[in-house]
Amino acid sequence: MKIMDGKNLSAKVKAQIASDVAELKNSGVEPGLAVILVGEDKASKTYVSSKEKACMAAGIKSIMHRLSENTSENELLALINILNLDDSVDGILVQLPLPKHIDTNKILKAIRPEKDVDGFHAVNVGNLVSGLDSFVPCTPLGIMVMLKEYGIDLNGINAVVIGRSNIVGKPISSLLLNANATVTITHSKTKNLKEICASADLLVAAIGKPNFVTVDMVKNGAIVIDVGINRLDDGRLVGDVDFNSVAPKCEFITPVPGGVGPMTIAMLLSNTLKSAKQRALKGVNL
Ligand code: GUN
């Protein structure tokens, strides 16, 4: 059994990004990421400040917009419009979930696809599914970088994804399919979930339920990717996989914390750098 160390790998990726950012700045382009947080969601606040810190460490300008819970949809759309037109902004990220009175789809659609570093706009989703160049959502992209780093050959393997969210389940399924895996997407209505999971060479758990994946759901020698970040009542952070019982059965497994999580932020920086490089090539951002 080998642990896939996302903390170590993300540090390596971030160092490379910082060096690329410095080079880009020397040529006169400073990458900039605008992050919008609406409301007081505790987890979102933590994620957003981690994103801000990571930008600073990489030399990326971060432009924070902390808006109150009762911000209207129109106010948010107006801010996005300003950022869409601002040449110093390469990436626009609206932290999810948004308050209930705001239509998330409408907001995501308003972000210019060229600045959509989260890869949530329908244009980027469509390009990803079609196997074309696109911004790829950060968590799935981080998983693919980890799989590559550990030399895992995806050609023809049976990959099972648990969870069908737009943020993780659907995009990781597209990426694995594009990499020639045979992909099964499972979810809360799936019949025979345990049997399907137990047939997986690669199991991706993105459910959001602590210790959901138990030892009977995992094949001997499987690769297990745990996307869950669940805070227990006692304050502990655990994944979607019952790590202690599952790990001995695996060829590779990601820990929580220190697995997929740190990769996600590194990929946000990577997507922002990609957007800034595209701006540098074009001369301007319009
Ligand atoms: N909420 C949970 N994950 C994410 C993410 O990757 N991006 C954004 N914008 N919000 C999230």
Side-chain angles (χ1 to χ4, degrees):
M1 187 270 291
K2 290 198 195 81
I3 304 253
M4 300 172 90
D5 184 348
K7 203 168 169 211
N8 199 16
L9 177 57
S10 70
K12 203 167 91 177
V13 171
K14 283 191 213 165
Q16 181 61 50
I17 291 170
S19 138
D20 287 5
V21 166
E23 198 178 309
L24 201 57
K25 279 181 170 171
N26 278 337
S27 70
V29 174
E30 181 185 28
L33 173 68
V35 177
I36 305 173
L37 171 66
V38 186
E40 304 291 328
D41 184 85
K42 211 167 152 236
S44 290
K45 276 183 167 175
T46 311
Y47 293 142
V48 160
S49 45
S50 305
K51 289 170 185 179
E52 196 179 12
K53 274 192 212 129
C55 279
M56 287 206 294
I60 294 172
K61 186 174 73 170
S62 95
I63 310 121
M64 278 300 312
H65 293 271
R66 291 187 166 83
L67 308 181
S68 82
E69 180 80 26
N70 51 28
T71 300
S72 73
E73 196 174 270
N74 279 340
E75 283 169 322
L76 185 51
L77 288 170
L79 173 59
I80 290 170
N81 198 35
I82 289 168
L83 298 170
N84 277 340
L85 297 171
D86 183 342
D87 282 348
S88 70
V89 172
D90 295 294
I92 303 170
L93 181 151
V94 178
Q95 187 65 31
L96 303 180
L98 286 168
K100 290 209 168 28
H101 65 276
I102 297 177
D103 180 345
T104 301
N105 286 325
K106 204 165 164 185
I107 298 303
L108 296 179
K109 228 162 89 175
I111 298 170
R112 274 184 59 189
E114 295 88 346
K115 297 189 177 192
D116 171 35
V117 287
D118 254 333
F120 294 163
H121 191 288
V123 164
N124 283 312
V125 176
N127 283 335
L128 172 62
V129 172
S130 306
L132 301 173
D133 181 58
S134 69
F135 282 113
V136 176
C138 302
T139 300
L141 184 58
I143 294 171
M144 295 307 283
V145 169
M146 279 186 112
L147 292 171
K148 186 158 185 239
E149 173 75 11
Y150 284 88
I152 292 160
D153 183 7
L154 299 171
N155 233 335
I157 70 163
N158 287 328
V160 174
V161 177
I162 321 176
R164 54 174 157 177
S165 70
N166 292 336
I167 297 182
V168 183
K170 285 182 206 162
I172 190 64
S173 301
S174 290
L175 288 163
L176 292 169
L177 183 62
N178 291 348
N180 297 323
T182 302
V183 182
T184 306
I185 308 171
T186 67
H187 47 80
S188 54
K189 304 286 188 295
T190 297
K191 291 174 182 156
N192 308 324
L193 178 72
K194 281 186 191 253
E195 289 79 357
I196 296 169
C197 291
S199 74
D201 302 312
L202 170 68
L203 185 62
V204 179
I207 313 124
K209 288 193 179 150
N211 302 322
F212 181 88
V213 174
T214 46
V215 68
D216 53 317
M217 295 166 75
V218 178
K219 183 163 108 175
N220 264 324
I223 299 154
V224 174
I225 306 291
D226 189 349
V227 183
I229 302 179
N230 307 295
R231 180 77 64 186
L232 299 182
D233 289 339
D234 65 7
R236 270 189 310 138
L237 211 57
V238 298
D240 290 348
V241 177
D242 182 14
F243 185 88
N244 289 338
S245 69
V246 168
K249 242 184 152 175
C250 300
E251 185 185 1
F252 288 102
I253 186 165
T254 64
V256 176
V260 174
M263 294 303 295
T264 296
I265 290 190
M267 293 305 113
L268 175 63
L269 304 179
S270 171
N271 280 347
T272 305
L273 174 64
K274 172 176 167 159
S275 179
K277 281 182 176 167
Q278 284 169 354
R279 162 159 69 107
L281 278 178
K282 276 190 257 171
V284 287
N285 219 339
L286 295 172

